[in-house]
Amino acid sequence: TPQSASRPDEQIVVHGQINPSATDKGSLNPADVQTVCSTISQTNAYVEEGLSSCFIPRHGMVFFDSNGAIVANLAICFECEAIKAQPMVQYSKKNAANGVANKAQITKATKDIATIKQIVQQYTPVKD
């Protein structure tokens, strides 16, 4: 879903450019890029839903092509444990019967967010 214009800091990329309020903490090494991309591509929709609805991302990642053009980005809120990807990722669908969440998928999403958090912590502090 599009971010609110009243809270532009929720967006790491604004109009095709890195948000001017973003702080550059360096580039991920290739192994970390591979881990993040493989984690996001193999997780499920609970990663995007998060554990609460606060979604005030204080961390993000921007991915560039070989010409330096922005091709994708992740906005991350470790407080509510949610990640929003642009372009949107086709996560596996949630399996919920009668409104009861699938515990295995929640556990996997929680583990996947922790994997990304571990990588982010190598570059900048993450408050719990």
Side-chain angles (χ1 to χ4, degrees), residues 25-37 61 63 118-120 122-123:
K25 295 293 183 176
S27 299
L28 297 178
N29 68 48
D32 288 341
V33 171
Q34 180 62 40
T35 299
V36 168
C37 291
M61 295 179 191
F63 298 87
Q118 185 176 27
I119 290 170
V120 169
Q122 294 177 59
Y123 298 88

Side-chain angles (χ1 to χ4, degrees), residues 1-5 10-11 84 86 88:
T1 57
Q3 301 294 328
S4 165
E10 289 186 12
Q11 301 177 55
K84 308 284 187 210
Q86 290 296 324
M88 292 177 67

